[in-house]
Amino acid sequence: MTTPTPQSAPAIRWGILGAGGIAHKMADAIINHTAGELVAVGSRTPGKAEKFVAEVGSGRAYGSYEEVVNDPDVDAVYVATTHNDHHEPALLAIEAGKHVLVEKAFTQNAAQAETVVAAARAKGVYLQEAMWARFLPHQAEVRAAIARGEIGDVVAVQADHGQALTHVERMYRPELAGGALLDLGVYPIAFAHDILGVPESITAVGQLRDTGVDGQVSMVFQYPGAQATLHTTMEARTQNAAVISGTEGRIEIADTFYNPTTFTLKRHDGTSWTYDGRLDNGFQYEAAELARNVAEGRLESAILPLDQTLEIMRIMDEVRSQIGLVYPNER
Ligand SMILES: NC(=O)c1ccc[n+]([C@@H]2O[C@H](COP(=O)([O-])OP(=O)(O)OC[C@H]3O[C@@H](n4cnc5c(N)ncnc54)[C@H](OP(=O)(O)O)[C@@H]3O)[C@@H](O)[C@H]2O)c1
């Protein structure tokens, strides 16, 4: 199975909302790794959009998100703001009739996610969560190998995502929905969900920090005949590897499992093979997924349907309720 090249997807004219760190990576992906173009960047911070377009060498700079979504040259909008502030820019873009790609975690909670999904369905625009790992070639090969039965029935999934982000102020700010879970923990959760779906039960143990956000969380998800053990921390760089173990073999995904990477499938009969999915950037795959689907008239991705995004957000809500993680605007 081969994931089509992002460059072969139809050209989309992109607008970006929020001119921060991750927006730069998406700009590089669009400009250098797709057939699309970056036509507009909006920032509510004075001067930031101008600096951004000067740095990336593409796009019109706007001082508001409204100007981006109302630009007739923009086909699709990428929402790259903090977690507390995904749903309102997404709703703004949907209302303006734009297709939308929303950074992970999709929203702060499932209720916000349901509002955004309902709005996109009512308006008839395309909507996709920017869980980029789901769209990478190595993850497609992992899914295909499991579907072919190469490791038998899946019994255990292990994944962790830990980064040393003690210097990143937004991570410690509860009003921005900071903390490990929404920023980092969403990756192992979405990974387990990709392989095993919605768990029958969840057990989560977390450590909250002085500001009220979660510093780290350990989770066990129960499925019929299988378990996922997952961990996230924002205070240490952990191995960031993932292993899927089945009755006939296992798949070891090299660190960092959610980046373009390699994996080795080892069967109990002693045979093994390795897939090398390393490549530059990686965001071009989620951008190309949107471009292809929009061109073909679809309103959501078959690789990450909106109902699955909602399932992931409900899992995150359950983890949060167990560890006592409540953001100020939810009290
Ligand atoms: N896919 C990935 O690999 C990846 C990696 C890192 C982050 N992310 C995700 O990308 C999103 C943004 O992360 P980032 O690291 O790019 O964030 P960031 O650079 O700190 O901020 C992004 C934008 O959010 C707004 N913002 C930030 N702090 C704010 C504040 N205190 N008050 C009001 N607005 C504020 C600003 O928008 P304006 O420009 O309009 O002022 C800023 O440019 C998050 O959802 C994060 O989880 C994804």
Side-chain angles (χ1 to χ4, degrees):
M1 196 177 105
T2 310
T3 303
T5 65
Q7 290 83 354
S8 66
I12 281 274
R13 298 171 302 172
W14 286 93
I16 293 180
L17 305 185
I22 214 56
H24 279 85
K25 184 168 177 182
M26 180 55 88
D28 172 62
I30 292 167
I31 295 165
N32 297 313
H33 301 284
T34 73
E37 58 180 315
L38 176 60
V39 297
V41 177
S43 173
R44 296 170 299 197
T45 306
K48 199 169 177 182
E50 288 77 4
K51 186 165 177 280
F52 187 102
V53 301
E55 280 167 8
V56 305
S58 184
R60 287 188 281 278
Y62 290 122
S64 74
Y65 297 167
E66 285 79 4
E67 288 168 283
V68 176
V69 304
N70 290 323
D71 185 329
D73 290 339
V74 171
D75 301 316
V77 163
Y78 169 60
V79 176
T81 42
T82 50
H83 308 127
N84 64 305
D85 194 29
H86 285 179
H87 73 298
E88 282 185 8
L91 289 172
L92 191 72
I94 289 165
E95 187 51 37
K98 304 301 185 188
H99 307 294
V100 190
L101 177 65
V102 183
E103 254 310 332
K104 44 50 65 176
F106 186 69
T107 47
Q108 180 178 311
N109 54 43
Q112 288 183 353
E114 283 159 10
T115 305
V116 175
V117 168
R121 285 177 171 159
K123 190 77 177 179
V125 295
Y126 183 89
L127 177 65
Q128 181 185 316
E129 176 187 355
M131 174 40 74
W132 65 302
R134 183 74 73 109
F135 305 98
L136 292 173
H138 81 270
Q139 188 66 15
E141 297 297 330
V142 165
R143 286 192 295 266
I146 294 170
R148 287 194 300 270
E150 288 208 40
I151 61 168
D153 297 329
V154 174
V155 173
V157 169
Q158 295 159 274
D160 71 293
H161 187 183
Q163 302 291 345
L165 299 177
T166 48
H167 60 289
V168 181
E169 198 221 345
R170 75 168 171 81
M171 298 294 289
Y172 284 86
R173 290 185 52 181
E175 72 278 16
L176 300 179
L181 182 71
L182 261 59
D183 211 279
L184 311 174
V186 66
Y187 284 98
I189 289 172
F191 178 76
H193 180 281
D194 196 13
I195 305 305
L196 290 168
V198 177
E200 283 185 331
S201 69
I202 292 169
T203 305
V205 180
Q207 289 181 333
L208 303 188
R209 299 301 177 234
D210 289 347
T211 61
V213 301
D214 55 310
Q216 65 177 338
V217 189
S218 295
M219 298 159 272
V220 179
F221 293 179
Q222 291 268 30
Y223 302 85
Q227 291 185 332
T229 50
L230 314 172
H231 175 257
T232 186
T233 174
M234 61 178 188
E235 293 167 345
R237 187 165 184 353
T238 58
Q239 190 184 1
N240 295 315
V243 184
I244 306 164
S245 301
T247 50
E248 293 173 36
R250 68 179 180 274
I251 296 171
E252 297 175 354
I253 308 179
D255 57 337
T256 306
F257 78 90
Y258 58 85
N259 276 330
T261 189
T262 61
F263 70 83
T264 300
L265 189 148
K266 299 176 177 173
R267 290 175 54 88
H268 295 340
D269 64 10
T271 60
S272 70
W273 56 271
T274 294
Y275 177 84
D276 188 346
R278 288 174 294 178
L279 46 85
D280 283 345
N281 197 311
F283 281 19
Q284 61 270 29
Y285 286 89
E286 59 184 359
E289 173 73 3
L290 178 147
R292 277 197 192 87
N293 284 320
V294 165
E296 290 165 18
R298 283 189 285 271
L299 297 181
E300 57 186 285
S301 164
I303 298 172
L304 182 49
L306 293 170
D307 282 347
Q308 292 194 22
T309 286
L310 293 176
E311 288 167 1
I312 290 165
M313 289 309 306
R314 290 185 195 116
I315 291 170
M316 306 254 284
D317 276 7
E318 175 58 25
V319 171
R320 287 181 50 205
S321 84
Q322 291 192 21
I323 66 171
L325 175 58
V326 182
Y327 303 116
N329 63 358
E330 297 170 337
R331 293 205 175 95

